[in-house]
C-alpha cells in the first residue's frame, strides 16, 4: 500500500472529479513514476510516496507532465539553492523572514473545503541582509510544506491574497526583469499544486508598474487568474467572500497575530523534512535531453538582467 496521507471523503471526490485520480491505481501510478526516476542517472531526489504523489496530482495524473515538473524542480534546487533548496530552518535570515509574517496560510480553506488561502503582505525586514531572494526562499519553502502536508492545497490548489498596503520600494530591491520572468514561468514548470486565483488589494503606483510588467510577459491562462480589487474590501468579488479573510480584515479566519504565532510554530515540525533537501542533485553532465534552463535564468551573470526601476 502506498504511504500517503488519506483524504477526507469530500476531498477524495474532488481528486476524482477534478484531477482524474483513481484510488485503486495510485500504487501503479507511483510505481511507474518511481521506475522512471530510477532510470534517470542525472536525478537525485527524495522518493517517498507522499512527495511523489503531489507531482502526479498537480499534473492531473499526466505522467509526462509530472516528469517534467519533477525534473525542473530538481534542476532549480541544484542551480539556485539560495532560493529553492532550504536545508536549515534555523538559519537566522530565514527565521527573521518567517517571524515577520509576510506569508500566512489561513486555517479555514476557501468555502470551507476548497483551496488553501495564503495571505501575502510585504512586511519582511528591509536591510542589506534581506532581499527578494530571501523572500522567494520563504515562499518556495512554504509551497513545499503545503504540497507535502496539506490535502486542501494538494488537491484543491492555492488562492493568494496579496495585500500591498505596507509595500515599500525597497521591498522590490533585487527584483530584475529576468527574475520576474523566471518566477512567472515556475508556475507552469515546477509548482506541484494548482494556482487557482491571485487577488490583489491596496495596490500602490509602483506595485501597479510591476503588475503591468508582469502581465505583459504572463501566459493568458495565468492572466485570467489575476483579480485586481480596490482599496475598499467591499469590492471583493463573490468568488472571495469576506468571511474567509483574517479578522483584522473583517473576516472570520483568525487574527493576524494568531496566524503569525501559529506560522512560526509550524516550521518546527519540518526540520528533518528540509534537511532532506540536501540530497537533491541534478547532474547536467549526465542529462541527455535538451537544455532545460537557458542563459535567461543565469541571474546576475554576464549582464543578462537589468534592475527593474520603479517611480
Amino acid at each position: 500500500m502506498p504511504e500517503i496521507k488519506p483524504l477526507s471523503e469530500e476531498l477524495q471526490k474532488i481528486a476524482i472529479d477534478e484531477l482524474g485520480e483513481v484510488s485503486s491505481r495510485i500504487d501503479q501510478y507511483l510505481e511507474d513514476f518511481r521506475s522512471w526516476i530510477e532510470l534517470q542517472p542525472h536525478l537525485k531526489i527524495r522518493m517517498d510516496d507522499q512527495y511523489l504523489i503531489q507531482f502526479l496530482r498537480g499534473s492531473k495524473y499526466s505522467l509526462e507532465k509530472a516528469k517534467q515538473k519533477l525534473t525542473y524542480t530538481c534542476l532549480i534546487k541544484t542551480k539556485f539553492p539560495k532560493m529553492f533548496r532550504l536545508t536549515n530552518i534555523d538559519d537566522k535570515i530565514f527565521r527573521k523572514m518567517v517571524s515577520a509574517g509576510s506569508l500566512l496560510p489561513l486555517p479555514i480553506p476557501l468555502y470551507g473545503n476548497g483551496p488553501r488561502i495564503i495571505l501575502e503582505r510585504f512586511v519582511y525586514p528591509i536591510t542589506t541582509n534581506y532581499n527578494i531572494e530571501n523572500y522567494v526562499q520563504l515562499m518556495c519553502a512554504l509551497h513545499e510544506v503545503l504540497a507535502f502536508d496539506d490535502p486542501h492545497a494538494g488537491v484543491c490548489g492555492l488562492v493568494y491574497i496579496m495585500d500591498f498596503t505596507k509595500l515599500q520600494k525597497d521591498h522590490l530591491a533585487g527584483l530584475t526583469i529576468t527574475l520576474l520572468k523566471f518566477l512567472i514561468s515556475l508556475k507552469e514548470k515546477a509548482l506541484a499544486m494548482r494556482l487557482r486565483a491571485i487577488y490583489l488589494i491596496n495596490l500602490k503606483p509602483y506595485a501597479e508598474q510591476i503588475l503591468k510588467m508582469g502581465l505583459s510577459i504572463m501566459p493568458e491562462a495565468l492572466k485570467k487568474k489575476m483579480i485586481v480589487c480596490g482599496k475598499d474590501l467591499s469590492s471583493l468579488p463573490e468568488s472571495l467572500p469576506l468571511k474567509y479573510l483574517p479578522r483584522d480584515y473583517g473576516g472570520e479566519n483568525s487574527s493576524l497575530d494568531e496566524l503569525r504565532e501559529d506560522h512560526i510554530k509550524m516550521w518546527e515540525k519540518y526540520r528533518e523534512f528540509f534537511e532532506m533537501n540536501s540530497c537533491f542533485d541534478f547532474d547536467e553532465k549526465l542529462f541527455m535531453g535538451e537544455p532545460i534552463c537557458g542563459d535567461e535564468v543565469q541571474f546576475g551573470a554576464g549582464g543578462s538582467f537589468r534592475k527593474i526601476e520603479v517611480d
Side-chain angles (χ1 to χ4, degrees):
M1 290 291 292
E3 295 184 11
I4 60 175
K5 294 176 173 63
L7 300 177
S8 67
E9 185 177 341
E10 294 87 352
L11 285 178
Q12 187 64 69
K13 186 176 187 307
I14 293 171
I16 293 168
D17 294 344
E18 297 186 10
L19 307 182
E21 184 165 296
V22 180
S23 301
S24 61
R25 294 186 59 194
I26 286 178
D27 201 19
Q28 187 62 53
Y29 292 143
L30 288 167
E31 183 179 336
D32 291 345
F33 199 12
R34 190 175 285 104
S35 295
W36 172 82
I37 295 168
E38 289 171 349
L39 294 174
Q40 310 309 306
H42 57 283
L43 291 182
K44 183 180 178 183
I45 63 167
R46 57 187 302 164
M47 297 273 275
D48 49 293
D49 292 342
Q50 189 65 46
Y51 185 78
L52 296 181
I53 192 68
Q54 189 52 52
F55 284 92
L56 291 167
R57 284 174 173 163
S59 304
K60 294 188 176 182
Y61 284 90
S62 164
L63 185 57
E64 288 307 309
K65 191 174 287 187
K67 291 176 185 177
Q68 293 168 9
K69 283 181 180 280
L70 184 64
T71 298
Y72 199 80
T73 296
C74 188
L75 175 63
I76 63 172
K77 281 180 178 292
T78 303
K79 209 171 188 74
F80 311 113
K82 183 176 179 181
M83 288 189 287
F84 303 110
R85 187 163 65 174
L86 175 70
T87 58
N88 178 19
I89 67 164
D90 295 314
D91 177 82
K92 290 182 179 179
I93 292 179
F94 180 75
R95 281 291 184 178
K96 275 280 189 181
M97 298 295 285
V98 168
S99 298
S102 286
L103 286 168
L104 298 171
L106 306 189
I108 303 174
L110 191 60
Y111 312 127
N113 200 39
R116 179 64 59 196
I117 305 169
I118 300 177
L119 175 64
E120 181 171 6
R121 304 178 303 141
F122 297 87
V123 294
Y124 57 90
I126 301 176
T127 73
T128 54
N129 293 324
Y130 306 96
N131 56 42
I132 195 72
E133 291 187 359
N134 302 127
Y135 190 62
V136 172
Q137 181 190 60
L138 173 60
M139 181 181 294
C140 292
L142 178 59
H143 285 171
E144 286 194 75
V145 166
L146 295 175
F148 182 78
D149 211 24
D150 184 345
H152 288 281
V155 172
C156 301
L158 303 175
V159 165
Y160 265 87
I161 302 172
M162 298 179 68
D163 183 358
F164 292 86
T165 301
K166 296 190 176 182
L167 177 72
Q168 299 179 43
K169 291 180 183 179
D170 286 345
H171 280 124
L172 304 175
L175 182 61
T176 69
I177 294 173
T178 303
L179 179 55
L180 182 61
K181 290 174 69 174
F182 184 56
L183 294 176
I184 289 172
S185 76
L186 288 184
K187 187 269 172 184
E188 293 296 331
K189 293 182 177 181
L191 187 61
M193 298 165 288
R194 294 184 293 165
L195 182 59
R196 307 301 295 272
I198 301 175
Y199 296 89
L200 303 102
I201 60 177
N202 299 318
L203 276 172
K204 295 186 175 183
Y206 42 88
E208 291 179 358
Q209 291 182 47
I210 301 298
L211 175 61
K212 288 177 182 178
M213 192 175 300
L215 289 172
S216 71
I217 56 179
M218 269 181 206
E220 284 299 319
L222 185 54
K223 286 181 186 178
K224 293 177 181 178
K225 299 178 190 293
M226 308 288 289
I227 303 165
V228 180
C229 309
K231 294 184 179 180
D232 182 355
L233 292 179
S234 64
S235 67
L236 289 175
E238 292 183 5
S239 56
L240 181 64
L242 183 64
K243 64 183 277 188
Y244 293 108
L245 271 66
R247 290 203 297 269
D248 306 66
Y249 290 77
E252 302 173 9
N253 216 334
S254 297
S255 70
L256 288 174
D257 285 342
E258 290 169 338
L259 291 167
R260 193 177 71 86
E261 289 301 317
D262 290 343
H263 187 60
I264 292 170
K265 294 174 184 175
M266 178 202 81
W267 293 95
E268 295 299 326
K269 295 167 49 181
Y270 299 101
R271 181 173 281 101
E272 184 177 344
F273 174 83
F274 283 105
E275 287 173 354
M276 291 181 68
N277 262 342
S278 61
C279 81
F280 279 85
D281 185 53
F282 186 106
D283 190 335
E284 293 185 81
K285 294 179 182 177
L286 297 177
F287 181 57
M288 302 300 291
E290 292 293 322
I292 300 174
C293 238
D295 291 340
E296 70 274 10
V297 294
Q298 302 299 323
F299 305 129
S304 60
F305 72 100
R306 64 184 176 87
K307 185 178 179 181
I308 293 176
E309 300 292 347
V310 292
D311 298 323

